[in-house]
Amino acid sequence: MVASTVSWKETMNESFEMVVGLEVHVQLDTETKLFCACSNDGFGAVPNSRVCPVCTGQPGALPVLNKKAVELAFKAALALNGKLAHQSIFARKNYFYPDLPKAYQISQYDEPFCLGGEVPLRLKDGKTKIVPLARIHMEEDAGKLLHAVGSQALNHSLVDFNRGGVPLIEIVSKPEIFSSDEAYAYLTSLKEILQYARASSCDMEKGEMRCDANISLKPKGQTKLGTRAEIKNLNSFKNVKDALEYEFLRQSDILASGGKIIQETRLWNGKETVSMRSKEEAHDYRYFPDPDLVPIDLSPEWIAKLESEISELPQARRERFVSDYHLSPYEAEVLVADQTVSDYFIQVLKLPEAQNSAGLLAKLIMNIPDFSPIPAEQMASLIHLCAQKTITLNQAKELYPEIHQSKKDPKVLVKEKGLAQVLDEKILRDWVKEALAANPQAISDVKGGKKQAVGALVGAVMKLSKGKANPALVNKLIFEGIDKA
Amino acid sequence: MKNLTSLSASKIAQEVSSGNLKAEDVAQAHLDRVKTEDPKVKAFITLLEEKALFSAREIDLKRAQGKKLGKLAGVPIAVKDNILVEGVETTCASKILKGFKAPYDATIVEKLKKEDAVILGKTNLDEFAMGSSNENSAFFKTKNPWNLETVPGGSSGGSAAAVAAKMAPLSLGSDTGGSIRQPASFCGLVGIKPTYGLVSRYGLIAFASSLDQIGPMARNVEDTALLLSSIAGHDPKDSTSAPQAQNHFSGMPLESIRGLKIGMPREYFADGLDPEVRKSVLDAVNNLKTMGAEIKEVTLPHTSYAVATYYIIAPSEAASNLARFDGVRYGHRAQNVKSLSELYEKSRGEGFGPEVKRRIMLGTYALSSGYYDAYYNRAQKARTLISRDFENVFKEVDFLATPTAPSVAFKFGEKSADPVAMYLSDIFTIPSNLAGNASLSIPCGLNKDRLPIGLQLIAPAFEDEKLLSLAAAVEKAVNFPQLN
Amino acid sequence: MEKSSSITEEDVRKIAALAKLSLTPEEISRYQSQFVKILDSIAQLSRLNVENVPPTSSVLGLKNAFREDQAVPFEKNHALIDNAPEKDGPFFKVPKIIE
Ligand SMILES: [Mg+2]
Ligand SMILES: [Zn+2]
């Protein structure tokens, strides 16, 4: 990717602009599949152990819609500002493939449950943008095909239906994404919103969020769209960004040399996009309303109930973190990016010991590498110790892994380790005296106007105190000492 | 006890429940009857001799232990071979399902077992229930017990023949365009296509999901009602099953016919109707008039569009429903194939018979890009108009009386060469499937060749109980003979 | 809909490919002539006025048939694999697919 990144930047200055539409499939957080009572959590399970007559397409089996899946889909749509349809129906999308046991996928076609919607983007340069959605629809996932066992290629393919029938929503954006950075920001924001709406955990490792991208190029400043290519198999945000950048280069090279883009499906293999073997016949999915299912009728009361169940969304939470907790926009951004972290943050701040310590708590959480929470009560005590200046934030950070592991009360641990800060000015003055005596040069530097020379003196005091001296007090006492000297 | 095979199902259930009859003896008597009759009639694809005797003994044991027996105590039942009975081969009379062991029980089969019925075997049908004569079975042709030269009707021909020949007192069929009523008419039986949604379709191998409905066939109305009571009711496993579906049907004759309004739709008595059929149906209607009913001529103006509508909707749904038979998970799989596409095309090409392929092709065409609006969507709109015809006419009358089929049982080969001629034999039964209402066939006489003629009675949706009671009144008046 | 009677053998082949049915040349020619007849017989629908008529989407107008989100494992999943004409351990087996 190094070489192409260079030419990517060069090309950026040239005459084309990319026009991207994203189709994102997201797995809904239910217990069971969309149309049968099999467990939804087949990830890592024995092949074909989470299956039943319905999701393996047995003769005579019939689908029955999972109400929770419908509600989660509706909540996702509400969180994305989509317009919910009062009536929606399921359609059959007919095609033959071994991962599709009925030879049709139950999906939605001309009456999806949601039209429109929007995804707000926050770009690196601080700018914001709204990407409008075309639609959101519900559908069942296909099974999984294996072509190899480990690195050993098979001379046949194998089918596992554990994933078959898992509830998905497909979120289709309008083609109003104009750079790979925007695509990345779109996915980041979409994931955040869906997690906050509790619709999906969006765990990409488990394939709970998958993306296909349509990309075409147009000369800058023009509105007419070019021929698009569809890129499949994009299972991380970085893949999406890399693949779009690669595809931009590929298409712009073709266009610049007078060639034509063909409409086709391409596959991202981690390095480049490659054309998928063209299918013998054109797709004709023969959609028609599924006669085994009845329409979903959405009442205003039902919408109101679902709306009331959606908790605070990320944008609102970020704003609240700044206005109510006085965090910096950057801190709010980092904390809110992870829903479990921001929920935890709020939970800790509700405890008496942590009240009014939002700033300290934010700094501590952000400073701990690979943060994973300790019980909220313990976190509140730890923050209380910092707020009381018994320990420094730095000490709290260093103590954290031990609290996490030993589950000991932070107060007890601080006592055991003798970590409590020295706040006693009498003791501090003795250390300051000693430090000043040992560093006459630093004193004259400070007096001569080089205020930063005080750092060496503070360092000397901290050393004498084995790190327990309160830095702010030390600072104050050093200046007093220098004035007297 | 002699003549166990002439007993009604209601009588058998009553006698077995009270201990006067052993379920095992009843089962054995019917199995013996199958041994003598079925080589001629050929109603059964699979006979469950051991299983039937085993469950009969279990029922007798249950009774001996003082437990209360179900509604169908010891009653032998023949089940159409498109309904799943766990562990039993279910073929749809198609090579493509040869060897397929049902991995679960259809909801109605669970119910039959709960009511202590004895499942005798699986009966022949037109392949995937597509046909009106049983000639489309991939295995063999079932004969009409009234005259072995004629067809038993279809697609539930095996179920009809089994009951007419007294190999079973009851059977289950499925009706997508007349597949219960037309064979009932040809074989001199009572057969009801219940209101759509009254009986669960879970475990019925789908032909056309929005039209399919399972229903009973019997030699009298009371038995028909008994079986319907055992299988009807809401099923959470079937989204199209009606929450209001009831499960009690007495099948007792209406106390009084006086004042009932019965409509005779003009379109069902048009030219082309066999004169003997017309006369027999008119006689039955006159009987009702004599009993005090008010007979009115009515009109269902979109009737002439019903067959065309049906032959777009049913094949479209079928093309999609039958796509799952692809040689991967069950059934026939072509050998020596090199690619996935070849696996699909050969398995399906070899496994399906000509009529099934014809309908899959027709449905695929009707749904394909560029034709959807002209065919499928237009047909669904026509369907709305056909349903409205019924809604309108049921504002004027309580029931409709029509012939079940335009003719009596025809000879083998008479219509099989011409699909369109065959399709027209369902002309009177198809509209009720499109509208979803309740409709039954009851014998109303014999023609000069001693072939049965059926009267079709149609009621609004969920008036199945009243429909059966009217049929019981007709039954009393007609006094139709049984075969020996 | 008037196109129906002009259905050709090539059309029949295309439909067969879409429906994944291998047909012999005899079958193709037979279906072609039968299709012409069948489609002609249903062509009368094109004369029906269906303006402002909604298509039937649910036979009896049922709506909102739902299931609660509770897992009920199907105990006999081996019976599902047992029916497979070709299998490999717990997997269904198909000819190699090259993507
Ligand atoms: Mg999709
Ligand atoms: Zn399942």
Side-chain angles (χ1 to χ4, degrees), chain A residues 33 36-38 50-52 54-55:
Chain A
K33 294 183 178 182
C36 64
C38 290
R50 304 283 198 277
V51 296
C52 74
V54 177
C55 59

Side-chain angles (χ1 to χ4, degrees), chain B residues 343-356:
Chain B
L343 170 73
Y344 288 150
E345 287 171 3
K346 282 204 165 159
S347 300
R348 292 165 59 77
E350 294 166 1
F352 289 131
E355 180 62 29
V356 175

Side-chain angles (χ1 to χ4, degrees), chain A residues 245-367:
Chain A
E245 288 171 8
Y246 177 90
E247 188 61 17
F248 180 87
L249 282 181
R250 191 188 70 85
Q251 292 190 16
S252 58
D253 278 355
I254 294 173
L255 293 172
S257 59
K260 260 190 160 175
I261 308 294
I262 44 170
Q263 187 167 343
E264 61 178 345
T265 302
R266 300 179 69 85
L267 216 61
W268 175 247
N269 66 10
K271 282 200 208 81
E272 54 188 358
T273 67
V274 288
S275 182
M276 277 174 85
R277 285 208 325 171
S278 63
K279 300 264 149 80
E280 313 92 278
E281 78 263 3
H283 281 300
D284 182 349
Y285 292 125
R286 289 158 286 139
Y287 282 101
F288 76 106
D290 191 332
D292 286 332
L293 291 160
V294 299
I296 304 172
D297 203 49
L298 183 60
S299 65
E301 296 75 40
W302 197 6
I303 298 183
K305 176 190 162 268
L306 294 172
E307 258 168 349
S308 74
E309 286 170 10
I310 298 177
S311 54
E312 190 175 39
L313 291 173
Q315 188 52 36
R317 184 164 283 187
R318 269 189 295 270
E319 281 162 15
R320 186 162 69 91
F321 277 17
V322 171
S323 64
D324 292 11
Y325 297 143
H326 308 295
L327 302 188
S328 73
Y330 174 73
E331 288 169 331
E333 176 78 31
V334 174
L335 291 177
V336 173
D338 190 323
Q339 182 218 327
T340 51
V341 171
S342 71
D343 282 354
Y344 179 73
F345 183 78
I346 294 167
Q347 189 195 354
V348 173
L349 286 184
K350 279 188 185 143
L351 297 171
E353 282 192 305
Q355 261 176 9
N356 308 319
S357 302
L360 279 174
L361 181 59
K363 284 187 183 68
L364 180 59
I365 290 175
M366 288 167 66
N367 273 309

Side-chain angles (χ1 to χ4, degrees), chain C residues 3 5 13 37 47-48 53 79-80 87-88 91 93:
Chain C
K3 281 181 204 158
S5 40
R13 259 188 291 272
K37 274 180 90 177
R47 296 190 293 272
L48 181 63
V53 178
L80 303 175
K87 47 194 170 271
D88 186 346
F91 292 103
K93 200 169 152 184

